[in-house]
Amino acid sequence: MKQNKIYYSFIGSAFFQILNFILPLIIIPFVLKKIGVEKYGIIVIFQATTNYLGLLIDYSFNIVQVRSIVGVVNDIKTTKKQLVDALAFRLYLSLLACIFVFILALINPFDGFTHKLYLAFFIWIIGQCIIFSWFLQAINSLVIYSILSFISKLLYAIQIWLFVNNSADYENICLFWATSNFLLGLGIIFYIQKLYKFTFSDFNSINFNLLKFKNSLIEGKDVFVSNSLNGISINTNVFILNLFVGHEIVGQYSIIEKLGLIVKHFITVFHQVTFPNFCKVIDDKQILKKFIIKNHLPLIIFTFTIGVGVFFCQIRS
């Protein structure tokens, strides 16, 4: 039954996550027609910047906090306490992100970044602060996250279709991107509230102690560095291109890059789904070995086969 639950979570999450990538690709031709490739390049830089802010706000939650929640998930009182502590930690990180955006607004290093875009940054940060996707991962509810994420992306696409008419509307696209992120966060909060029935008294224990914040930073620093290096490798390309070429080339590059990220995200979803169960068996080497063979070996064989196939197709072409 547990094995079937893993596969169900993976298939459901992968399906909706792939839709989340495909949907923006579908609306790209419409966006390019309305605002042009150059303005689209500005949007790409805006989104890459939000990805950097996301690395800061999410810090080490995808590993450290998931592992903590998995150990107490059946204890509602302790789970609530950990969620409240996590909120305090994310508020601190979000404050740092806001300070960064404020400094960015003062020096304004990017052409095309207007007041609307900086407003969009702050809306996006608020949304990212309350996106507890890591918690849904810990309780094996990534399917719910994927569905909510798809709904927010769908609303984003509808807003673009209804309200984007010319090149000046590129600012609105950034605002729509930020509000969709905020709505995703609200959806996750409502779902968690439905599960755990939070009351105002549950937040009385919220602790903004700076020493505790410092200890949390130290605890998750290794995971943060690892996540940051991976994020930098993905997002820095558009900034480097922007230094030497115009927004038009940045926009063209981003379209091609998104296709490659679909494949990469497929593997990421699998690891997100299996990680909570991995934490449960990590102390038993025999069970861990069986778990890896049953779950990870098929993925390795599948991705290797796809890679070899693409390689030989490229040679023949």
Side-chain angles (χ1 to χ4, degrees), residues 26-295:
I26 293 174
I27 65 174
I28 282 176
F30 176 82
V31 171
L32 292 177
K33 182 179 178 181
K34 293 294 183 178
I35 69 172
V37 179
E38 184 175 354
K39 296 297 185 184
Y40 179 72
I42 298 174
I43 295 172
V44 169
I45 295 172
F46 169 83
Q47 292 178 344
T49 307
T50 61
N51 289 339
Y52 276 117
L53 296 174
L55 289 172
L56 173 61
I57 297 171
D58 290 338
Y59 202 65
S60 60
F61 280 82
N62 65 319
I63 300 292
V64 177
Q65 274 69 26
V66 168
R67 189 174 56 204
S68 298
I69 291 294
V70 167
V72 300
V73 71
N74 295 321
D75 186 337
I76 294 178
K77 185 177 180 180
T78 305
T79 301
K80 283 185 174 182
K81 176 67 169 59
Q82 293 217 10
L83 279 170
V84 171
D85 289 343
L87 177 61
F89 188 33
R90 291 179 76 86
L91 285 171
Y92 267 124
L93 295 171
S94 298
L95 178 61
L96 293 177
C98 287
I99 292 172
F100 173 81
V101 171
F102 180 74
I103 295 172
L104 197 67
L106 290 178
I107 60 178
N108 198 22
F110 302 118
D111 293 335
F113 271 38
T114 63
H115 296 302
K116 272 190 178 182
L117 264 68
Y118 288 110
L119 173 62
F121 274 127
F122 289 112
I123 295 172
W124 188 92
I125 289 171
I126 296 171
Q128 194 66 21
C129 179
I130 58 176
I131 292 180
F132 280 37
S133 57
W134 55 272
F135 179 75
L136 299 185
Q137 178 186 351
I139 63 174
N140 285 316
S141 293
L142 268 179
V143 175
I144 300 298
Y145 168 72
S146 301
I147 293 172
L148 291 173
S149 182
F150 174 71
I151 293 172
S152 70
K153 292 289 196 306
L154 185 61
L155 292 174
Y156 168 66
I158 292 172
Q159 286 177 305
I160 289 176
W161 183 64
L162 290 176
F163 301 110
V164 174
N165 299 305
N166 53 60
S167 60
D169 289 330
Y170 79 93
E171 299 172 323
N172 294 332
I173 294 177
C174 295
L175 279 172
F176 298 155
W177 172 267
T179 53
S180 70
N181 200 58
F182 177 71
L183 291 174
L184 172 59
L186 284 181
I188 292 174
I189 292 298
F190 283 134
Y191 178 74
I192 294 175
Q193 167 64 20
K194 184 179 178 182
L195 286 179
Y196 290 92
K197 308 295 188 225
F198 275 89
T199 61
F200 285 108
S201 61
D202 292 317
F203 294 93
N204 290 337
S205 62
I206 193 166
N207 190 346
F208 290 105
N209 187 290
L210 285 174
L211 181 60
K212 190 170 184 177
F213 174 63
K214 178 184 176 181
N215 291 335
S216 297
L217 288 176
I218 294 171
E219 181 185 9
K221 65 180 176 60
D222 293 333
V223 176
F224 172 67
V225 170
S226 176
N227 289 342
S228 297
L229 290 175
N230 182 53
I232 289 171
S233 69
I234 295 173
N235 298 301
T236 305
N237 294 335
V238 295
F239 292 104
I240 295 174
L241 278 175
N242 189 59
L243 290 174
F244 300 101
V245 296
H247 295 317
E248 184 174 351
I249 303 299
V250 172
Q252 292 172 350
Y253 168 81
S254 176
I255 295 169
I256 299 171
E257 188 180 48
K258 286 182 185 298
L259 295 173
L261 287 176
I262 291 177
V263 179
K264 182 176 181 180
H265 202 69
F266 180 82
I267 299 172
T268 301
V269 169
F270 179 84
H271 289 300
Q272 288 176 335
V273 169
T274 57
F275 182 69
N277 294 283
F278 182 87
C279 291
K280 294 176 183 178
V281 301
I282 195 169
D283 293 326
D284 191 318
K285 291 184 178 180
Q286 290 299 322
I287 298 177
L288 179 61
K289 183 178 178 181
K290 292 178 180 178
F291 181 84
I292 292 174
I293 291 173
K294 284 183 178 180
N295 294 283

